Amino acid sequence: MSSVIEVRKLGRRLKQAGGEKAILNELSFELASGEFLCIMGPSGSGKTTLLHLLAGLDLPDEGTILIEGKAMDRLGEDGRAILRRERIAQVFQFFNLMPALSLRENVALPLAIAGRPAGEQRARIDGLIERFGLGHRADALPSALSGGEMQRASIARALAGGQGLLLCDEPTGNLSQQSGLEVMQSLRRLRDEDGKSILLVTHNPRDAAFSDRVLFLVDGRLDPDHELRGPGLEVERIHRSLAELAI
Amino acid sequence: MHLRTVALRSLLARPGRTLFSILGIAMGIAIVVGIFTLDHNTLLGLKGPGDPDWQADLRVSPEGGITDPRAELAAIPGVAGVAAFFQNEADLIDAAEDRPARVRLIGIESSAVDAPALYRVLAGRGLAPGGVLIGAALAESRGLGPGDAITLTRPKRGARRICVDGEMKLVEPENQLEDRRRSYRVLGVLAPERLGRRSGGDVVLLDIADARDLFADLFARVDYLVEKDPKVDIERLTSSLGHAFSFELNQDVLIGQAADERAFRNGVRFAGLMALGLGLYVIFHVLSIALVERSREIATLQALGATRRQVAGLFLGEALVLALGGGLFGLGGGIGLARLLLALRITTLGAGRHIDVFEIPWATILPLAAIGCGIALLGSVYPLLRMRRAQVARAIRGERNLDQGPGLGFRLFAVVLVTVALPLLFLEIAPVVGEQKEAIQAVLRVGIAAFAVLLGLPLLLPGLLGHLAALVVRLLGRVFPLGALVAAREIGRRPLRLAVGAAVLAMVAAAYTALQGITASLEAEIDRWAAVAVAPKLFVGGLDGREVAEVDRALAGIPGLIAHEKGDLRAYVPFLLTGVDEKALLAAKVFADPERLDRFLGGRGLVVSTRLARDQKLAVGSRQAIRTGRGQVESFEVLAISDAVGFFPYPDERIYAVTTEETMRRDFCLDTAKADRLALVFEPGRDAASFGAAVSRALTPPGDEARAPLVIPGAKVAADARLDVARDFVLFDVIILLTAALGGLGVLNGQLLSALERAKELGVLKSLGCTRRQMAGLVLVEAATIGLLGGLLGAALGLLLNPVVIEALQIVSAFDLPLVNLNARALLAALGAIVVSLLAAIYPMVKVMRMPTARAIREG
């Protein structure tokens, strides 16, 4: 199976008043095509920083990131933007929907950015909205949606561009338990039915249990001894690893 | 969906912000467009249709004894062009030898390189010796054209009516001209403009040497047509001419160009610049905050694959809509404002003048509006370009980088743009009225520096005002403890917003205080002048040319009457020259030195008013050339500078000189035995009202109340003059009012954004039990702090600037202005700033009170 993401000796430091602090250190891992990988870690472990590096929103101080064989650090800012547009979709903890746009328009945004024709947009977007059970709210503004609806809209938006890789940053962090469950089921279906490659960062063991493999990020390093592999990851097993790592 | 939709939706989703942003830009542009449209129409309206017999800027006559007047004139600063000029009547005979046509013959220098543009040729070529140019009407009526031959003869000289020793006499020419005729070739036909308009186009232009040949015996006096250099002030030119030349000034040249008018017009223009700067400053700030606030949206777009160019294009589109919307509304609003002001008879040369023309000066106002739009555009796009990757990554996590507001780079950029680039561009398009003297430059520099400091410091050092604000908040905390607590934290976190709001109000308060300083000084100057010039006098009009001796007899019984001045002894030379008798002169105590009094009474002396002395830079001992009613230029000596004699109201003219009654009779043939109006000088301490009543009784013909004279006490004249100042400055009041509204808009925008940004924390306060009243208090305390701080700073700055402003006004005008205590007015300015700020807080306050708590907490 080919790798969608290859990370080699990745390092990111943060400048602070007293010097530099390593946020990520010597990080190496791969995400195979069609795999659902979860990276767990406590708050401040560098999970979100890692996602930003993978999305090309930030650049590493050391190491390399290959997205479908393309080295991120060799691309300019616009090159990375186009890579995101074509290959990487994202789902955010805080949804990040445009407050002025309706749900339909939010979902259509990646197509608008890519300059796709309106006809193509409509057919694709309506299908996505229906798929996530949001047809009746298509014209509503984000302020009128519930948290679960907003996150499902956010996932629909992530699928609109047709990218094969999905980076998810604590997608259930702002949702009720029921809404969170629905969102995770949606993500799992994307892996199983659409063959999407998914990288999820979370600190929630229930969310991690939906993945094929779990890596633990502690103090900016991946712990090689506690990697968990599916299928059928049990929440208790994840809890045990977390306890062993004192997370 | 197209990406443009995002920009459009963003504008529509925030209608308040969109409206207030457009309004801010529009108001700044409208004020400046309104001012320039008003100024253009003021000058246009006052110039009127123009003299049908076209006049040059000045027509100058040299005093006898000047050997080379032309060379002397050309060396005078302010003279842009000189042409020797001679005119007379002549008879034209064409080849058909029909009856001769009586034409106006004008001789000018055809070869002078510095000659002003005196004519334009419609057909044929320019003037050269041996040839003539003929007017269009003449060419048509006689069927003449280029190449035709004509003959000119000089007509017999008629008697001239001139003033000789006090009598207008018909004087026959001493020697009749011999019959002389000369033939010329028609070189061209004059367009019906400038000299081609003279005598309705029945005009012949020829070289002055040819004119000399034709009219040799009449060449005792040659006048000169002078073109004024527009870059030199008129009084500098006339004061340089004054010692050796008398001159007639084309009044059209003078409109809006007198020293006081220039000062007024420049003041109005500077106020316009200030308004435009303030408008852009406010909008800059609002848009930059809005962009920082929207950093999460920008980051999301980038995360979704939008390139920086796409994002920039998106925000540029939004900014374009705002800037162009503001520009269009500003243009329309400005033109409407000018129309409204003209309808209310408010002009850039004072109030009460009727202007019945309206023309839009597109060439000036379009570039001004474009500057406004351009700078607003730059202000809104720049923060976007400054966004860094790190900010994107942080923003996407929901970490809004708001505490710091726009970065130092942006703030520096904004300061340079608004306080340096804007004034420079503005002055390039609309330079100061009048000469670019060092003094004017200095005044401009001080004004722009004050503007830059007041607007620049809060942007560059917001913490400075933040500390001052903390002191104010502490004071307010005794009355509103919760509001003060929250306001103190907010100011500590985001001092910039408060600093900008306070700076804008400070600017308005400072401008108001400075304006009050100007009007107070002008009023004080009137009081000082009135005490000397009008207070001990009673002005009597409507005497219908009564014999002065008869009036004297009627008034003889009234106690306290010392002397009288006759108001009808007036000549314009070109300033007003009037005459007084010895008694009035002694009553006014103008001369302490009896020898000077004797010289004055000798007939070639002048007492000049203080304004004329300043305007023409005359001192005791200066000489002034005056053309008498006989047509001769005589030299007069300035023997005193005083306002104690010679002033008459209606029309007010404080630029004048006084000579003896006898000189006015002898040299100007004015009747000193009769009077239509008089100024009666009465003893100090005498009650003006009872004195006036007695005069009225004495001069009213028995049983004919309808012929009662008009009696006006000096105090009324002074009061009217003070009223005129207030009325004339109403335009500044309008500008200050509009600028205050602009300042209020700035505060409103800032407060509104603050409320929206802090929705989450305000929601938490509500959930903790804050009442709606307490919530309103939070906004009001902040607004009061901004108002109080801005008001106090502005008032202090206004007080500090007052001496500078008055000094500047003295430099640019002919006024000698005293400084006046402004403390009470400064306090009023500070209170005004607080009121404006509190009014501006009403809308944000309502927003905060109506904010849905649950959503505010959830969404922030």
Side-chain angles (χ1 to χ4, degrees):
Chain A
M1 209 184 286
S2 62
S3 294
V4 178
I5 299 177
E6 278 184 61
V7 174
R8 297 278 170 262
K9 300 196 169 186
L10 193 66
R12 182 77 175 100
R13 291 185 295 275
L14 185 68
K15 282 179 186 157
Q16 287 183 326
E20 285 191 336
K21 182 192 171 193
I23 304 292
L24 298 173
N25 214 346
E26 297 263 319
L27 218 66
S28 296
F29 69 93
E30 290 180 5
L31 172 71
S33 177
E35 186 184 14
F36 191 154
L37 171 66
C38 173
I39 295 180
M40 293 196 77
S43 294
S45 60
K47 300 188 297 292
T48 302
T49 303
L50 173 63
L51 272 197
H52 288 156
L53 291 171
L54 295 174
L57 295 174
D58 196 1
L59 285 175
D61 296 306
E62 289 147 13
T64 56
I65 299 169
L66 300 178
I67 303 291
E68 297 185 6
K70 283 194 174 174
M72 190 69 89
D73 58 353
R74 293 196 183 164
L75 296 172
E77 201 159 319
D78 281 351
R80 294 198 300 277
I82 290 164
L83 185 72
R84 280 195 293 277
R85 191 188 294 175
E86 293 172 351
R87 307 284 169 80
I88 310 165
Q90 294 174 84
V91 177
F92 309 102
Q93 179 179 357
F94 297 101
F95 327 127
N96 288 10
L97 296 177
M98 295 284 164
L101 301 183
S102 68
L103 187 151
R104 175 183 277 111
E105 287 165 337
N106 264 291
V107 175
L109 200 51
L111 298 178
I113 289 170
R116 304 267 180 86
E120 183 189 335
Q121 287 184 28
R122 180 169 294 278
R124 187 174 177 83
I125 297 315
D126 286 349
L128 275 170
I129 290 173
E130 287 302 329
R131 178 175 172 184
F132 285 92
L134 294 167
H136 62 298
R137 311 303 311 271
D139 294 320
L141 288 174
S143 55
L145 302 176
S146 70
E149 287 171 330
M150 279 197 274
Q151 194 57 295
R152 276 185 281 147
S154 165
I155 296 171
R157 180 179 66 184
L159 296 178
Q163 299 98 321
L165 172 62
L166 216 60
L167 303 178
C168 306
D169 185 6
E170 303 270 15
T172 64
N174 250 7
L175 302 179
S176 68
Q177 195 169 338
Q178 181 57 35
S179 296
L181 184 66
E182 286 170 12
V183 164
M184 288 313 300
Q185 285 167 342
S186 300
L187 289 176
R188 184 69 215 182
R189 275 200 300 277
L190 289 176
R191 181 248 180 262
D192 295 341
E193 296 169 11
D194 297 17
K196 300 280 183 194
S197 311
I198 299 175
L199 194 151
L200 167 76
V201 300
T202 183
H203 61 264
N204 186 340
R206 270 195 301 272
D207 293 353
F210 282 87
S211 66
D212 301 322
R213 182 160 64 110
V214 179
L215 296 172
F216 293 92
L217 186 64
V218 183
D219 295 334
R221 291 172 189 275
L222 287 173
D223 189 317
D225 301 329
H226 285 85
E227 182 178 325
L228 300 178
R229 281 186 182 272
L233 283 174
E234 290 172 357
V235 175
E236 286 71 24
R237 218 172 127 200
I238 299 170
H239 269 300
R240 253 197 322 278
S241 293
L242 290 171
E244 285 168 19
L245 289 163
I247 297 173
Chain B
M1 185 182 74
H2 192 275
L3 215 48
R4 276 196 301 267
T5 312
V6 180
L8 190 65
R9 284 299 162 80
S10 171
L11 288 169
L12 295 176
R14 302 170 173 88
R17 182 187 303 168
T18 304
L19 179 72
F20 291 132
S21 297
I22 288 178
L23 205 57
I25 300 168
M27 277 186 77
I29 291 175
I31 293 172
V32 83
V33 164
I35 284 170
F36 279 88
T37 308
L38 186 68
D39 191 45
H40 177 81
N41 285 288
T42 300
L43 299 189
L44 203 65
L46 294 179
K47 274 186 181 158
D51 188 339
D53 214 22
W54 184 82
Q55 302 297 327
D57 292 351
L58 293 102
R59 181 174 163 177
V60 174
S61 307
E63 196 184 315
I66 296 181
T67 51
D68 188 356
R70 198 186 187 295
E72 282 208 26
L73 275 173
I76 288 175
V79 173
V82 185
F85 169 84
F86 169 84
Q87 71 171 352
N88 208 317
E89 289 189 324
D91 288 334
L92 180 147
I93 303 162
D94 57 21
E97 291 275 344
D98 281 345
R99 57 186 163 69
R102 182 57 58 88
V103 296
R104 177 81 65 95
L105 178 140
I106 297 173
I108 57 166
E109 290 171 281
S110 62
S111 56
V113 289
D114 61 345
L118 297 174
Y119 64 86
R120 187 169 68 83
V121 176
L122 208 57
R125 60 189 179 91
L127 189 60
V132 296
L133 301 176
I134 58 172
L138 187 62
E140 194 183 337
S141 65
R142 306 292 291 201
L144 292 170
D148 291 340
I150 60 159
T151 300
L152 292 171
T153 66
R154 51 192 197 183
K156 291 209 177 305
R157 295 173 68 192
R160 284 196 304 147
R161 194 173 171 78
I162 57 172
C163 176
V164 179
D165 288 335
E167 276 183 62
M168 292 304 291
K169 290 182 178 168
L170 275 174
V171 179
E172 291 294 335
E174 287 171 15
N175 50 345
Q176 198 48 264
L177 301 174
E178 63 180 76
D179 187 32
R180 186 180 289 189
R181 59 174 58 200
R182 296 283 185 271
S183 293
Y184 305 93
R185 185 71 58 192
V186 176
L187 300 175
V189 177
L190 293 165
E193 58 186 70
R194 285 171 271 183
L195 285 179
R197 270 173 66 182
R198 284 269 168 105
S199 296
D202 284 332
V203 62
V204 174
L205 231 65
L206 73 171
D207 187 81
I208 199 150
D210 294 331
R212 187 188 293 273
D213 174 47
L214 192 61
F215 286 89
D217 324 55
L218 283 179
F219 252 74
R221 202 192 81 205
V222 175
D223 286 347
Y224 292 85
L225 298 183
V226 168
E227 183 183 15
K228 180 186 163 289
D229 182 349
K231 291 181 188 142
V232 173
D233 290 341
I234 188 73
E235 68 276 6
R236 189 167 156 213
L237 170 58
T238 54
S239 68
S240 305
L241 288 172
H243 70 284
F245 297 90
S246 76
F247 53 89
E248 287 169 29
L249 192 60
N250 180 352
Q251 290 302 306
D252 275 3
V253 175
L254 200 60
I255 290 169
Q257 294 298 328
D260 56 332
E261 292 177 335
R262 287 198 314 269
F264 194 85
R265 290 174 64 211
N266 279 325
V268 170
R269 282 163 179 239
F270 191 78
L273 170 63
M274 186 188 81
L276 182 60
L278 268 188
L280 295 176
Y281 181 72
V282 166
I283 294 316
F284 245 51
H285 185 61
V286 170
L287 292 181
S288 68
I289 295 173
L291 279 172
V292 173
E293 182 209 25
R294 291 171 62 190
S295 57
R296 192 166 174 181
E297 282 183 42
I298 297 169
T300 303
L301 284 169
Q302 291 192 331
L304 292 174
T307 58
R308 280 162 71 95
R309 179 177 287 188
Q310 280 180 306
V311 176
L314 199 87
F315 282 86
L316 184 67
E318 264 190 53
L320 258 176
V321 170
L322 294 179
L324 290 180
L328 282 177
F329 281 113
L331 268 177
I335 291 166
L337 176 67
R339 268 192 176 283
L340 177 69
L341 291 171
L342 285 173
L344 296 171
R345 302 197 167 197
I346 297 170
T347 73
T348 53
L349 291 176
R353 296 169 192 250
H354 176 64
I355 305 287
D356 57 2
V357 293
F358 193 80
E359 191 180 279
I360 300 170
W362 292 111
T364 307
I365 63 172
L366 278 180
L368 286 171
I371 291 178
C373 288
I375 291 183
L377 205 59
L378 280 175
S380 48
V381 168
Y382 184 86
L384 180 79
L385 303 176
R386 299 280 302 170
M387 284 206 65
R388 292 273 185 263
R389 282 190 312 275
Q391 287 177 317
V392 175
R394 285 180 65 188
I396 215 148
R397 283 199 295 265
E399 293 174 21
R400 291 193 293 179
N401 188 23
L402 295 173
D403 288 0
Q404 289 76 31
L408 181 64
F410 169 70
R411 289 183 270 137
L412 201 59
F413 173 75
V415 170
V416 170
L417 210 55
V418 175
T419 64
V420 181
L422 175 66
L424 287 177
L425 282 170
F426 184 92
L427 290 172
E428 188 60 38
I429 293 170
V432 290
V433 181
E435 201 170 333
Q436 303 273 329
K437 283 185 283 206
E438 179 52 35
I440 298 273
Q441 300 290 346
V443 169
L444 264 179
R445 278 197 292 272
V446 168
I448 292 173
F451 184 67
V453 166
L454 202 48
L455 296 190
L457 266 186
L459 276 184
L460 300 177
L461 299 169
L464 198 68
L465 278 187
H467 287 305
L468 288 174
L471 295 175
V472 176
V473 169
R474 204 173 297 165
L475 281 175
L476 292 172
R478 296 182 182 179
V479 189
F480 306 101
L482 175 70
L485 177 72
V486 177
R489 293 290 173 271
E490 175 62 15
I491 291 163
R493 274 166 68 199
R494 288 190 273 257
L496 184 63
R497 184 162 308 159
L498 172 128
V500 167
V504 170
L505 291 180
M507 179 58 85
V508 179
Y512 175 80
T513 308
L515 178 66
Q516 288 294 312
I518 292 173
T519 49
S521 288
L522 285 169
E523 286 168 355
E525 191 267 348
I526 286 170
D527 291 345
R528 198 170 60 182
W529 163 80
V532 175
V534 297
K537 294 178 188 174
L538 191 75
F539 296 93
V540 180
L543 295 174
D544 297 331
R546 220 179 283 187
E547 291 286 340
V548 176
E550 182 198 326
V551 173
D552 281 343
R553 277 195 298 278
L555 298 176
I558 299 176
L561 178 63
I562 301 175
H564 60 63
E565 299 169 20
K566 298 183 185 79
D568 309 305
L569 303 180
R570 293 172 157 239
Y572 285 87
V573 291
F575 51 79
L576 171 65
L577 181 69
T578 183
V580 291
D581 65 10
E582 184 177 357
K583 202 173 168 188
L585 208 59
L586 289 171
K589 298 187 178 70
V590 173
F591 291 106
D593 179 357
E595 188 267 332
R596 279 187 194 281
L597 175 62
D598 287 345
R599 272 159 61 196
F600 180 82
L601 294 174
R604 284 290 178 266
L606 291 177
V607 175
V608 299
S609 69
T610 50
R611 281 220 181 147
L612 178 62
R614 279 181 77 96
D615 196 59
Q616 293 295 306
K617 298 191 171 40
L618 294 173
V620 173
S622 303
R623 300 207 71 85
Q624 177 69 39
I626 288 176
R627 188 178 198 162
T628 65
R630 198 182 302 176
Q632 289 169 332
V633 177
E634 302 278 356
S635 180
F636 282 66
E637 183 187 6
V638 176
L639 292 167
I641 295 169
S642 171
D643 293 319
V645 283
F647 174 80
F648 269 84
Y650 320 116
D652 288 341
E653 180 56 78
R654 284 179 57 184
I655 296 182
Y656 63 89
V658 179
T659 184
T660 62
E661 275 191 7
E662 176 53 18
T663 304
M664 297 306 285
R665 186 195 69 76
R666 191 186 61 227
D667 289 347
F668 294 92
C669 284
L670 294 170
D671 189 352
T672 56
K674 291 180 178 172
D676 184 49
R677 49 190 186 157
L678 292 170
L680 305 180
V681 185
F682 55 88
E683 285 171 354
R686 187 72 58 180
D687 176 48
S690 54
F691 183 74
V695 166
S696 186
R697 272 196 308 276
L699 294 178
T700 303
D704 193 359
E705 296 297 321
R707 289 184 60 210
L710 184 66
V711 176
I712 304 162
K716 166 87 167 62
V717 172
D720 285 353
R722 286 174 65 107
L723 204 63
D724 274 350
V725 169
R727 215 175 46 177
D728 285 350
F729 275 73
V730 107
L731 177 59
F732 281 98
D733 293 337
V734 170
I735 296 171
I736 293 277
L737 198 67
L738 289 171
T739 316
L742 201 53
L745 201 62
V747 175
L748 186 153
N749 269 322
Q751 293 286 92
L752 195 58
L753 283 170
S754 173
L756 294 174
E757 278 170 20
R758 294 154 63 201
K760 194 163 192 167
E761 67 182 68
L762 294 173
V764 169
L765 284 171
K766 265 185 159 180
S767 71
L768 291 174
C770 261
T771 61
R772 283 160 57 91
R773 196 172 176 165
Q774 282 174 310
M775 297 300 290
L778 300 181
V779 180
L780 286 180
V781 166
E782 220 172 288
T785 306
I786 292 171
L788 190 57
L789 190 60
L792 289 177
L793 281 176
L797 185 75
L799 288 175
L800 275 174
L801 280 179
N802 185 42
V804 183
V805 170
I806 298 303
E807 177 65 28
L809 194 58
Q810 294 195 104
I811 290 170
V812 297
S813 71
F815 301 165
D816 181 18
L817 300 173
L819 277 175
V820 176
N821 184 322
L822 284 181
N823 292 344
R825 295 169 203 239
L827 192 64
L828 200 64
L831 287 174
I834 297 170
V835 170
V836 167
S837 189
L838 289 176
L839 286 175
I842 291 176
Y843 180 64
M845 186 179 75
V846 171
K847 279 285 228 190
V848 166
M849 286 164 71
R850 291 184 178 168
M851 195 176 279
T853 313
R855 188 189 295 171
I857 292 173
R858 187 178 56 141
E859 294 167 14

